[in-house]
Amino acid sequence: IGGSYWTTFFPAIVVLGLGLAITVAPLTATVMGAVDARHAGSASGINNAVSRVAGLLAIAVFGVVLARTFDARVMPRLERLSLSEPDRRGLDRELYRMAGADIAHLSIPAPQQHAIRTVVDEGFVSAFRLVMVWTAGLALAAAWCGGAIRQPEG
């Protein structure tokens, strides 16, 4: 929270890009090299279809995890703030945007707006961190499974 792009996001994006570069191309080469030339089109299509479906499922599942974790972290802390019913309804309408929630237009006093912004930002970072830990764990499990499977000799 509050870090610059270059120190907060850029290093992680570089690591993600390098990770994709060293895994996706070799995986595709392995899939294509494992089939006869006459089945290359089918292998490519299956590889692409599985990749797209896995990406869609990951986005759906991790999106739910992110949203539920955000709600679990933010809602109890917001309940402790004494907000009027109209302010609370206005805030609830903004929370679906998570870190992008715009609370400046609400009639909440500045100190409470600052407290709400802190709760929302910390809740989002916490939820995002959980999703990243899960994805890292799945990547490690996939690497382990890939290493555990041996190609037949010959």
Side-chain angles (χ1 to χ4, degrees):
I1 299 171
S4 74
Y5 171 80
W6 295 106
T7 60
T8 307
F9 293 103
F10 186 72
I13 291 170
V14 168
V15 170
L16 175 67
L18 288 173
L20 288 173
I22 65 173
T23 57
V24 174
L27 176 62
T28 301
T30 301
V31 168
M32 297 306 292
V35 297
D36 293 331
R38 62 190 172 115
H39 297 298
S42 296
S44 177
I46 291 170
N47 184 49
N48 285 333
V50 168
S51 173
R52 298 302 183 264
V53 169
L56 290 172
L57 286 174
I59 289 169
V61 170
F62 288 126
V64 169
V65 170
L66 182 84
R68 296 287 173 123
T69 304
F70 176 79
D71 286 346
R73 300 277 198 272
V74 169
M75 292 307 184
R77 291 179 66 190
L78 290 179
E79 293 297 327
R80 289 185 232 141
L81 298 174
S82 56
L83 296 174
S84 68
E85 190 60 33
D87 287 340
R88 181 57 199 229
R89 281 195 308 269
L91 179 59
D92 287 343
R93 282 192 299 272
E94 287 295 322
L95 285 180
Y96 79 93
R97 296 168 63 191
M98 295 185 193
D102 180 18
I103 58 173
H105 72 280
L106 301 176
S107 62
I108 300 171
Q112 279 189 316
Q113 280 192 12
H114 179 70
I116 291 168
R117 180 85 265 154
T118 300
V119 167
V120 169
D121 289 348
E122 289 174 356
F124 180 77
V125 168
S126 176
F128 189 78
R129 185 175 292 131
L130 176 70
V131 169
M132 290 298 102
V133 168
W134 278 30
T135 57
L138 287 173
L140 289 173
W144 179 81
C145 289
I149 299 172
R150 298 194 184 265
Q151 293 283 338
E153 298 286 328

